[in-house]
Structure formats: C-alpha cells, structure tokens
Coordinates of all heavy atoms in Angstrom, one line a residue:
M1 N -7.9 227.7 99.7 CA -8.4 228.9 100.3 C -8.3 228.7 101.9 O -8.6 227.6 102.3 CB -9.9 229.1 100.0 CG -10.0 229.6 98.5 SD -9.4 231.3 98.3 CE -9.5 231.4 96.5
E2 N -8.0 229.8 102.5 CA -7.9 229.8 104.0 C -8.8 231.0 104.5 O -8.8 232.0 103.8 CB -6.5 229.9 104.5 CG -5.8 228.6 104.3 CD -4.4 228.7 104.9 OE1 -4.0 229.7 105.5 OE2 -3.6 227.8 104.6
T3 N -9.4 230.9 105.6 CA -10.0 232.0 106.3 C -9.2 232.5 107.4 O -8.9 231.7 108.3 CB -11.4 231.7 106.7 OG1 -12.2 231.2 105.5 CG2 -12.1 232.9 107.2
I4 N -9.0 233.8 107.5 CA -8.3 234.4 108.6 C -9.1 235.5 109.2 O -10.0 236.1 108.5 CB -6.9 235.0 108.2 CG1 -7.0 236.1 107.1 CG2 -5.9 233.8 107.8 CD1 -5.7 236.9 107.1
H5 N -8.9 235.8 110.4 CA -9.6 237.0 111.1 C -8.5 238.0 111.6 O -7.6 237.5 112.2 CB -10.4 236.4 112.3 CG -11.2 235.2 111.8 ND1 -12.6 235.4 111.4 CD2 -11.1 233.9 111.9 CE1 -13.0 234.2 111.1 NE2 -12.2 233.3 111.5
I6 N -8.7 239.2 111.2 CA -7.8 240.2 111.6 C -8.5 241.3 112.3 O -9.5 241.8 111.8 CB -7.1 240.8 110.3 CG1 -6.4 239.7 109.5 CG2 -6.1 241.9 110.7 CD1 -5.8 240.3 108.2
A7 N -8.0 241.7 113.5 CA -8.6 242.8 114.2 C -8.2 244.2 113.5 O -7.0 244.3 113.0 CB -8.1 242.8 115.6
I8 N -9.2 245.1 113.4 CA -8.9 246.3 112.7 C -9.1 247.5 113.5 O -10.0 247.6 114.3 CB -9.9 246.4 111.5 CG1 -10.1 245.2 110.6 CG2 -9.7 247.7 110.6 CD1 -8.8 244.9 109.8
D9 N -8.0 248.3 113.5 CA -8.2 249.7 114.2 C -8.6 250.8 113.2 O -8.2 250.7 112.0 CB -6.9 250.1 114.8 CG -6.6 249.3 116.1 OD1 -7.6 248.8 116.7 OD2 -5.4 249.2 116.6
G10 N -9.3 251.7 113.6 CA -9.6 252.9 112.8 C -11.0 253.0 112.2 O -11.2 254.0 111.5
M11 N -11.8 252.0 112.4 CA -13.1 252.0 111.7 C -14.1 252.7 112.7 O -14.1 252.2 114.0 CB -13.6 250.6 111.5 CG -12.9 249.9 110.3 SD -13.7 248.4 109.8 CE -13.8 247.4 111.2
T12 N -14.9 253.6 112.3 CA -15.7 254.4 113.2 C -17.2 254.3 112.8 O -18.1 254.7 113.5 CB -15.2 255.8 113.3 OG1 -15.3 256.4 112.0 CG2 -14.0 255.9 114.0
C13 N -17.5 253.9 111.5 CA -18.8 253.8 111.1 C -19.1 252.8 110.1 O -18.1 252.2 109.6 CB -19.2 255.2 110.5 SG -18.6 255.5 108.9
Q14 N -20.3 252.6 109.6 CA -20.6 251.5 108.7 C -20.0 251.9 107.3 O -19.7 251.0 106.6 CB -22.1 251.4 108.6 CG -22.6 250.2 107.8 CD -22.1 248.9 108.4 OE1 -22.0 248.8 109.7 NE2 -21.9 247.9 107.7
G15 N -19.8 253.2 107.0 CA -19.2 253.5 105.8 C -17.7 253.0 105.7 O -17.2 252.6 104.7
C16 N -17.1 253.1 106.9 CA -15.7 252.5 107.0 C -15.8 251.0 106.7 O -14.9 250.4 106.0 CB -15.1 252.7 108.4 SG -15.0 254.4 108.9
V17 N -16.7 250.3 107.2 CA -16.9 248.9 107.0 C -17.0 248.6 105.6 O -16.4 247.7 105.0 CB -18.1 248.4 107.9 CG1 -18.4 246.9 107.5 CG2 -17.8 248.4 109.4
N18 N -18.0 249.4 105.0 CA -18.2 249.1 103.5 C -17.0 249.4 102.7 O -16.6 248.6 101.7 CB -19.4 250.1 103.1 CG -20.7 249.7 103.7 OD1 -20.9 248.6 104.2 ND2 -21.6 250.6 103.6
S19 N -16.2 250.5 102.9 CA -15.1 250.8 102.1 C -14.0 249.7 102.2 O -13.3 249.3 101.3 CB -14.5 252.2 102.3 OG -14.2 252.3 103.7
L20 N -13.7 249.3 103.5 CA -12.8 248.3 103.7 C -13.2 247.0 103.1 O -12.4 246.3 102.5 CB -12.6 248.1 105.2 CG -11.5 246.9 105.5 CD1 -10.2 247.3 104.8 CD2 -11.3 246.9 107.1
T21 N -14.4 246.6 103.2 CA -15.0 245.4 102.5 C -14.7 245.4 101.0 O -14.3 244.5 100.4 CB -16.5 245.3 102.8 OG1 -16.8 245.2 104.2 CG2 -17.0 244.0 102.1
R22 N -15.0 246.5 100.3 CA -14.8 246.7 98.9 C -13.3 246.6 98.6 O -13.0 245.9 97.7 CB -15.4 248.0 98.4 CG -16.8 248.0 98.2 CD -17.2 249.1 97.3 NE -16.9 250.4 97.9 CZ -17.7 251.0 98.8 NH1 -18.9 250.5 99.1 NH2 -17.4 252.1 99.4
A23 N -12.4 247.2 99.4 CA -11.0 247.2 99.1 C -10.5 245.7 99.2 O -9.7 245.3 98.4 CB -10.3 248.1 100.1
L24 N -10.9 245.0 100.2 CA -10.4 243.6 100.4 C -10.9 242.7 99.3 O -10.2 241.9 98.7 CB -10.8 243.1 101.8 CG -10.1 243.7 103.0 CD1 -10.8 243.3 104.2 CD2 -8.7 243.2 103.0
Q25 N -12.2 242.9 99.0 CA -12.9 242.0 97.9 C -12.1 242.3 96.6 O -12.2 241.5 95.7 CB -14.3 242.2 97.9 CG -14.9 241.5 99.1 CD -16.4 241.6 99.2 OE1 -17.1 242.4 98.5 NE2 -17.1 240.8 100.0
A26 N -11.6 243.5 96.4 CA -11.1 243.9 95.1 C -9.6 243.3 95.0 O -9.0 243.3 93.9 CB -11.0 245.4 94.9
A27 N -9.0 242.8 96.1 CA -7.7 242.4 96.1 C -7.5 241.0 95.4 O -8.3 240.1 95.7 CB -7.0 242.4 97.5
P28 N -6.6 240.9 94.5 CA -6.3 239.5 93.9 C -6.1 238.5 95.0 O -5.3 238.8 96.0 CB -5.0 239.7 93.0 CG -5.0 241.3 92.8 CD -5.6 241.9 94.1
G29 N -6.7 237.3 94.8 CA -6.5 236.3 95.8 C -7.5 236.2 97.0 O -7.4 235.4 97.8
V30 N -8.3 237.3 97.0 CA -9.3 237.4 98.1 C -10.7 236.9 97.4 O -11.1 237.4 96.5 CB -9.5 238.8 98.6 CG1 -10.7 238.8 99.6 CG2 -8.3 239.2 99.4
K31 N -11.2 235.7 98.0 CA -12.4 235.2 97.5 C -13.6 235.9 98.1 O -14.6 236.3 97.5 CB -12.5 233.7 97.8 CG -13.7 233.0 97.3 CD -13.8 231.6 97.6 CE -15.0 230.9 97.0 NZ -15.4 229.7 97.7
S32 N -13.5 236.2 99.4 CA -14.6 236.9 100.1 C -14.0 237.6 101.3 O -13.1 237.1 101.9 CB -15.8 236.0 100.5 OG -15.4 235.0 101.5
A33 N -14.7 238.7 101.7 CA -14.3 239.3 102.9 C -15.6 239.8 103.7 O -16.4 240.4 103.1 CB -13.4 240.5 102.6
T34 N -15.6 239.6 105.0 CA -16.7 240.1 105.8 C -16.1 240.9 106.9 O -15.2 240.5 107.6 CB -17.5 238.9 106.3 OG1 -18.0 238.0 105.4 CG2 -18.6 239.4 107.3
V35 N -16.6 242.2 107.0 CA -16.0 243.1 107.8 C -17.1 243.6 108.9 O -18.2 243.8 108.4 CB -15.4 244.4 107.2 CG1 -14.8 245.3 108.2 CG2 -14.3 244.0 106.2
T36 N -16.9 243.6 110.2 CA -17.8 244.1 111.2 C -17.2 245.1 111.9 O -15.9 245.2 112.2 CB -18.3 242.9 112.0 OG1 -17.0 242.3 112.6 CG2 -19.0 241.8 111.2
L37 N -18.1 246.1 112.5 CA -17.6 247.1 113.3 C -17.5 246.7 114.8 O -16.6 247.1 115.5 CB -18.7 248.3 113.2 CG -18.3 249.7 113.6 CD1 -17.0 250.2 113.0 CD2 -19.3 250.7 113.3
V38 N -18.5 245.9 115.1 CA -18.4 245.3 116.6 C -18.6 243.8 116.5 O -19.7 243.3 116.2 CB -19.5 245.9 117.4 CG1 -19.5 245.4 118.9 CG2 -19.6 247.4 117.4
P39 N -17.5 243.1 116.7 CA -16.1 243.5 117.0 C -15.5 244.1 115.7 O -15.9 243.7 114.6 CB -15.4 242.3 117.4 CG -16.1 241.2 116.7 CD -17.5 241.6 116.6
A40 N -14.5 244.9 115.8 CA -13.9 245.6 114.8 C -12.8 244.5 114.1 O -11.8 244.5 114.6 CB -13.1 246.9 115.1
Q41 N -13.3 243.8 113.1 CA -12.5 242.8 112.5 C -12.9 242.5 111.1 O -14.0 242.8 110.7 CB -12.5 241.5 113.4 CG -13.9 240.7 113.3 CD -13.6 239.3 113.9 OE1 -12.9 239.1 114.8 NE2 -14.5 238.4 113.5
A42 N -12.0 241.8 110.4 CA -12.2 241.3 109.1 C -12.1 239.9 109.1 O -11.0 239.4 109.6 CB -11.3 242.0 108.1
S43 N -13.0 239.1 108.5 CA -12.9 237.7 108.2 C -12.6 237.6 106.7 O -13.4 238.0 105.8 CB -14.0 236.9 108.6 OG -14.3 237.1 109.9
I44 N -11.5 237.0 106.3 CA -11.0 237.1 104.9 C -10.7 235.7 104.4 O -9.9 235.0 105.0 CB -9.8 238.0 104.7 CG1 -9.9 239.4 105.3 CG2 -9.4 238.1 103.2 CD1 -8.7 240.2 105.5
E45 N -11.5 235.3 103.4 CA -11.2 234.0 102.7 C -10.3 234.3 101.6 O -10.6 235.0 100.7 CB -12.6 233.3 102.3 CG -12.3 231.9 101.8 CD -13.6 231.3 101.3 OE1 -14.7 232.0 101.2 OE2 -13.6 230.2 100.9
H46 N -9.1 233.8 101.6 CA -8.1 234.2 100.6 C -7.2 232.9 100.3 O -7.2 231.9 100.9 CB -7.2 235.2 101.3 CG -6.3 234.8 102.4 ND1 -5.0 235.0 102.5 CD2 -6.6 234.1 103.5 CE1 -4.5 234.3 103.6 NE2 -5.4 233.8 104.3
D47 N -6.5 233.1 99.2 CA -5.5 232.2 98.7 C -4.1 232.7 99.2 O -3.7 233.7 98.8 CB -5.4 232.1 97.1 CG -4.4 231.2 96.7 OD1 -3.6 230.7 97.5 OD2 -4.3 231.1 95.4
P48 N -3.5 231.9 100.2 CA -2.4 232.5 100.8 C -1.2 232.7 99.8 O -0.3 233.4 100.2 CB -2.0 231.4 101.9 CG -3.3 230.6 102.1 CD -4.0 230.7 100.7
A49 N -1.3 231.9 98.8 CA -0.1 232.1 97.8 C -0.2 233.4 97.0 O 0.7 234.1 96.7 CB -0.1 230.9 96.9
T50 N -1.5 233.8 96.7 CA -1.7 235.1 96.0 C -1.9 236.2 96.9 O -1.4 237.3 96.6 CB -3.0 234.9 95.1 OG1 -2.9 233.7 94.3 CG2 -3.2 236.1 94.1
A51 N -2.5 236.0 98.0 CA -2.8 237.1 99.0 C -2.3 236.8 100.3 O -3.1 236.4 101.2 CB -4.3 237.5 98.9
P52 N -1.0 236.8 100.6 CA -0.5 236.4 101.9 C -0.9 237.5 102.9 O -1.3 238.6 102.5 CB 1.0 236.4 101.7 CG 1.2 237.2 100.5 CD 0.1 237.0 99.6
V53 N -0.8 237.2 104.2 CA -1.3 238.1 105.2 C -0.6 239.5 105.1 O -1.3 240.4 105.3 CB -1.0 237.5 106.6 CG1 -1.4 238.4 107.7 CG2 -1.9 236.2 106.7
D54 N 0.6 239.5 104.8 CA 1.3 240.9 104.8 C 0.7 241.7 103.7 O 0.6 243.0 103.8 CB 2.8 240.7 104.6 CG 3.2 240.0 103.5 OD1 2.5 239.1 103.0 OD2 4.4 240.2 102.9
V55 N 0.3 241.1 102.5 CA -0.4 241.8 101.5 C -1.7 242.3 101.9 O -2.2 243.5 101.7 CB -0.5 241.0 100.2 CG1 -1.5 241.6 99.2 CG2 0.9 240.8 99.5
L56 N -2.5 241.4 102.7 CA -3.9 241.8 103.2 C -3.6 243.0 104.1 O -4.5 243.9 104.1 CB -4.5 240.7 103.9 CG -4.8 239.5 103.0 CD1 -5.4 238.4 103.9 CD2 -5.7 239.9 101.9
R57 N -2.6 243.0 104.9 CA -2.3 244.1 105.9 C -2.1 245.4 105.1 O -2.5 246.4 105.5 CB -1.1 243.8 106.8 CG -1.4 242.6 107.7 CD -0.1 242.3 108.5 NE 0.1 243.2 109.5 CZ -0.3 243.2 110.8 NH1 -1.0 242.1 111.1 NH2 -0.1 244.1 111.6
A58 N -1.4 245.3 103.9 CA -1.1 246.4 103.2 C -2.3 247.0 102.5 O -2.6 248.2 102.5 CB -0.1 246.1 102.1
V59 N -3.2 246.0 102.1 CA -4.6 246.5 101.6 C -5.3 247.3 102.6 O -5.9 248.3 102.4 CB -5.3 245.3 101.0 CG1 -6.8 245.7 100.6 CG2 -4.6 244.7 99.8
I60 N -5.3 246.7 103.8 CA -6.1 247.4 104.9 C -5.5 248.8 105.2 O -6.2 249.8 105.3 CB -6.0 246.5 106.1 CG1 -6.9 245.2 105.9 CG2 -6.5 247.3 107.4 CD1 -6.6 244.1 106.8
A61 N -4.1 248.9 105.2 CA -3.5 250.1 105.4 C -3.7 251.2 104.4 O -4.1 252.3 104.6 CB -2.0 250.0 105.6
D62 N -3.8 250.7 103.0 CA -4.1 251.5 101.9 C -5.5 252.1 102.0 O -5.7 253.2 101.6 CB -3.8 250.9 100.7 CG -2.4 250.6 100.3 OD1 -1.5 251.3 101.0 OD2 -2.0 249.9 99.4
A63 N -6.4 251.2 102.6 CA -7.8 251.7 102.7 C -7.9 252.7 103.9 O -9.1 253.2 104.1 CB -8.6 250.5 102.9
G64 N -6.9 252.9 104.7 CA -7.0 253.9 105.7 C -7.1 253.3 107.1 O -7.4 254.2 108.0
F65 N -7.0 252.1 107.2 CA -7.1 251.4 108.6 C -5.9 250.7 108.9 O -4.9 250.7 108.2 CB -8.4 250.4 108.5 CG -9.6 251.2 108.0 CD1 -10.1 250.9 106.7 CD2 -10.3 252.1 108.7 CE1 -11.1 251.6 106.1 CE2 -11.4 252.8 108.2 CZ -11.9 252.5 107.0
E66 N -5.9 250.2 110.1 CA -4.7 249.4 110.6 C -5.1 248.0 111.1 O -6.0 247.8 111.9 CB -4.1 250.2 111.8 CG -2.8 249.6 112.2 CD -2.2 250.3 113.5 OE1 -2.8 251.3 113.9 OE2 -1.2 249.8 113.9
A67 N -4.4 247.1 110.5 CA -4.5 245.7 110.9 C -3.8 245.5 112.3 O -2.5 245.8 112.3 CB -3.9 244.7 109.9
R68 N -4.5 245.0 113.3 CA -3.8 245.0 114.6 C -3.2 243.5 114.7 O -3.6 242.5 114.2 CB -4.8 245.2 115.7 CG -4.1 245.5 117.0 CD -5.0 246.5 117.9 NE -6.4 246.6 117.6 CZ -7.4 245.8 118.1 NH1 -7.0 244.8 118.8 NH2 -8.6 246.0 117.8
Ligands
LIG1 MO1 -17.9 257.9 107.6 MO2 -16.3 255.9 108.5 O1 -17.3 259.3 106.7 O2 -14.7 257.0 108.6 S1 -16.7 256.3 106.5 S2 -16.7 257.8 109.7

C-alpha cells in the first residue's frame, strides 16, 4: 500500500467531499481515502498494482471532479 495526495478541482461543498470520498473508497485497490475541502485534496491509501494513479484520476473524473 502507498499513500498519495492529489489536488482536486471542482469541489465546492461538504457534499462534494462526501461523494468523492465514497467514490474513491468504492474503487478496487483503494484501502482508504480522506478528502478535504480546504485544502482541496484527496489522500488515498492504495495498492498501486490494482489502483494505479491514472485509474484514481479516472475515478475522480467520473465522480465529477478533476485531479490536478
Ligand atoms: Mo452540494 Mo457540492 O449540491 O457540488 S455536493 S455543492
């Protein structure tokens, strides 16, 4: 497991934080995800073999946000 931090564009409220948190935690290979609005970022503990960064970026995009 590795932990990465990704800056997120497009979150405007705590609901955004909650929905992105759920989307990330539902992704295979993600052990845990902590999302904050200030600063706008996600800290993701993941298995890089199962959930590489480009997959995490896609999960974030599908949730309606943008990984910066
Ligand atoms: Mo509330 Mo955040 O509708 O988009 S979830 S602003």
